[in-house]
């Protein structure tokens, strides 16, 4: 029989693995779309590096902001419901 702390460790590990996978896929999508971004916005190849850098910095900044908000306001409050500015469907509003 497994102890609760052992189970929680595996849950935390699974959450971190999924978060890492999503981050990797997200940056892969940006790198894959670089040729299209360069053609549509008439960027030089040397300027495309700044697209990835800016995206990574913004992504990391929002991760830090979300982590700090969870520290200040509580994890459940931040993670259990969407922010007020996110539009919701009428079915969700009723509950």
């Amino acid at each position: 029989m497994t102890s609760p702390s052992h189970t929680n460790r595996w849950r935390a590990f699974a959450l971190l693995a999924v978060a890492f996978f999503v981050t990797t896929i997200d940056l892969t999508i940006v790198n894959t779309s670089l040729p299209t971004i360069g053609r549509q916005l008439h960027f030089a190849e040397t300027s495309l590096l700044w697209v990835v850098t800016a995206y990574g910095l913004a992504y990391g900044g929002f991760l830090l902001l979300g982590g700090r908000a969870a520290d200040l306001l509580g994890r459940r409050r931040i993670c259990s419901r969407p922010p007020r500015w996110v539009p919701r469907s009428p079915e969700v509003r009723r509950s």
Side-chain angles (χ1 to χ4, degrees), residues 22-41:
V22 168
T23 303
T24 304
I25 291 297
D26 200 27
L27 288 172
T28 302
I29 290 169
V30 170
N31 280 320
T32 304
S33 64
L34 281 179
T36 305
I37 291 172
R39 275 194 308 273
Q40 296 290 325
L41 299 177

